[in-house]
Amino acid sequence: MRKLFAQPGFPRLFGGLSTSMLGDSVMLLVLSMWVKTLTGSNAMAGLTFFFMVLPALGAPLLGVWVDRLPRKAILVWGNFASAAAVLPLVLVRDESDVWLIWVVAFLYGVSFVVLPAALNGLLKELLPDELLVDANSSLATIKEGFRLFGPLVGAAIFASVGGWLVAVVDAATFLVAGLLIATIKVTETPAPVEHAFREEVLGGIHFLVGDRVLRHVLAGLGISILVIGFFESSIYALLDAFGKQATFAGAFVTCQGVGAIIGGLTAARAVRRLGEVAVCTLGLIVLAISTVVCIVAPTIAVVLVGAAICGLGLPWTFVSFTTLMQRRSPGYLIGRVSTAVEVLLSTPQAISLALGSLLVSLLSYRQIFAIIATVIVLGALQIALTLRDQLRPQPVATEPASEPDLL
């Protein structure tokens, strides 16, 4: 990690991203909690996350502009725009204003598409390939580490003062992040201009389809994410079963953060030892195990243990996949590849969130969690069986591949 933070510009980038992540950790759970409190509906609370992932369906169009424009500028102005986007929450008063929370959730979703895509491009400009996994791991660790207290702080502010103050705090963190990132000095390589706009839009998808490794890992992740979204609605049903209020979800997410810190701290070492594909597969298996723990849990304390195990699996799954994507994608195409991934993963997530909102009124949380565990295992098997030759460390090239692997 010492070599990583010695890279010019990365400490300021890390500082800016950490600040905005702090705001996210305080705010994101509050959005669904707010809807649950105003309406009393688990299904409507789950729909909040559906609106958050909806913008990913238009991600390829956004990806074109991420590759055309300077990535640093996108991160700076994107953070400023995000600050403005959350401030309308100060107007929410009662159940009739739930639509306003959903609008903010949608705008949050836009930032979740654009900012990570720009970040992937900027990281490739700032860092050599061998340090990408360290950068991804350090960012995942700090992001998940905020789960130790961010959701609890958000829930406490929401319960004692109101959601409007959470919105103000979140907006302030976005402003600070934008100002810090603006101070980074970086020379960015412009992307080649392609005359066919349709080809530009589809460039990231074509690359992913043509790259055998990314294609099969994405298939396994897509299968798993098709049910992972069930958590968002069923978590409140789980809390109801144990006689807990909606605000107790903050404790669940905090325990998840404990496991995520361990996962983030060990992800880089695991990837170097086992390879990205193997670690991604193991991460999914850990997620399935955590779900089973919640199914058989006799007390809420055991449920919180399951949350911690879930936290361990999340960084392993997504740090390894993000590193794999960055390493195998050409720099000029990284924005479109990133946004194409958003579409391919967020589409099943949107379906999952909508379906989860329906299932929570038909099935018990244990039945829903059983479905989740079974399908995640199938996703892990998809990756392991189709990429048996990749279940070992792969050499890191000094330059990303310019052509997809068609074999």
Side-chain angles (χ1 to χ4, degrees):
M1 287 296 178
R2 183 176 299 177
K3 184 177 180 182
L4 172 65
F5 282 89
Q7 298 295 310
F10 184 77
R12 294 183 186 183
L13 177 62
F14 182 83
L17 295 173
S18 297
T19 304
S20 65
M21 288 175 188
L22 175 60
D24 289 343
S25 71
V26 172
M27 167 58 76
L28 289 182
L29 191 61
V30 167
L31 291 175
S32 63
M33 191 185 300
W34 207 339
V35 174
K36 165 71 173 176
T37 301
L38 291 176
T39 67
S41 169
N42 293 327
M44 293 185 75
L47 279 177
T48 306
F49 295 95
F50 171 77
F51 286 109
M52 202 175 294
V53 302
L54 200 56
L57 301 180
L61 292 174
L62 298 172
V64 172
W65 295 105
V66 170
D67 280 335
R68 284 183 177 182
L69 300 173
R71 279 68 178 264
K72 172 188 164 182
I74 293 173
L75 285 171
V76 171
W77 290 105
N79 274 285
F80 291 160
S82 297
V86 300
L87 287 177
L89 289 174
V90 302
L91 303 175
V92 175
R93 294 292 181 268
D94 53 38
E95 185 176 354
S96 65
D97 297 323
V98 164
W99 68 271
L100 194 53
I101 299 176
W102 286 341
V103 168
V104 172
F106 179 86
L107 295 175
Y108 234 121
V110 174
S111 73
F112 285 166
V113 172
V114 174
L115 298 186
L119 174 62
N120 285 330
L122 188 60
L123 286 175
K124 284 184 73 72
E125 298 283 359
L126 284 175
L127 304 175
D129 275 7
E130 64 269 17
L131 292 181
L132 287 174
V133 67
D134 295 295
N136 294 325
S137 181
S138 63
L139 290 171
T141 301
I142 196 69
K143 177 181 178 180
E144 300 297 341
F146 284 143
R147 290 176 181 266
L148 290 174
F149 62 89
L152 291 176
V153 171
I157 295 174
F158 174 75
S160 60
V161 182
W164 67 269
L165 183 56
V166 181
V168 172
V169 171
D170 195 23
T173 63
F174 279 124
L175 287 174
V176 172
L179 291 172
L180 279 173
I181 296 172
T183 64
I184 298 173
K185 294 181 179 180
V186 59
T187 301
E188 299 188 50
T189 304
V193 177
E194 301 176 28
H195 297 291
F197 184 72
R198 180 176 179 274
E199 290 302 313
E200 283 192 88
V201 171
L202 298 177
I205 293 177
H206 287 163
F207 180 83
L208 290 170
V209 171
D211 187 288
R212 169 178 169 263
V213 176
L214 289 175
R215 182 174 70 245
H216 286 302
V217 173
L218 273 170
L221 286 177
I223 291 170
S224 302
I225 290 174
L226 194 57
V227 295
I228 286 177
F230 293 178
F231 279 121
E232 307 300 349
S233 296
S234 57
I235 183 62
Y236 293 108
L238 182 153
L239 295 178
D240 288 343
F242 285 96
K244 300 296 181 180
Q245 298 295 319
T247 52
F248 195 83
F252 183 94
V253 177
T254 297
C255 288
Q256 194 176 72
V258 174
I261 289 178
I262 300 173
L265 291 173
T266 57
R269 181 178 297 179
V271 167
R272 286 197 170 92
R273 177 169 295 184
L274 304 174
E276 291 101 336
V277 175
V279 174
C280 186
T281 305
L282 287 173
L284 289 176
I285 293 172
V286 171
L287 291 178
I289 292 171
S290 71
T291 308
V292 173
V293 171
C294 291
I295 293 172
V296 301
T299 66
I300 194 66
V302 179
V303 169
L304 296 180
V305 172
I309 297 172
C310 177
L312 174 66
L314 287 171
W316 278 39
T317 301
F318 292 103
V319 166
S320 57
F321 173 72
T322 300
T323 304
L324 183 71
M325 178 188 67
Q326 292 169 342
R327 184 170 61 81
R328 296 184 70 89
S329 303
Y332 71 89
L333 198 60
I334 187 67
R336 280 166 286 175
V337 172
S338 298
T339 52
V341 167
E342 281 294 322
V343 173
L344 296 175
L345 294 185
S346 294
T347 299
Q349 186 179 12
I351 295 171
S352 177
L353 289 168
L355 186 56
S357 297
L358 173 63
L359 288 179
V360 75
S361 62
L362 302 175
L363 303 175
S364 71
Y365 81 87
R366 284 191 170 91
Q367 292 171 317
I368 295 173
F369 277 33
I371 295 172
I372 294 172
T374 301
V375 176
I376 290 178
V377 169
L378 292 176
L381 286 174
Q382 146 67 25
I383 298 173
L385 295 178
T386 57
L387 294 174
R388 291 187 296 273
D389 59 313
Q390 296 290 321
L391 297 178
R392 60 183 184 275
Q394 301 296 310
V396 177
T398 56
E399 295 292 335
S402 58
E403 297 294 335
D405 180 359
L406 298 176
L407 297 179

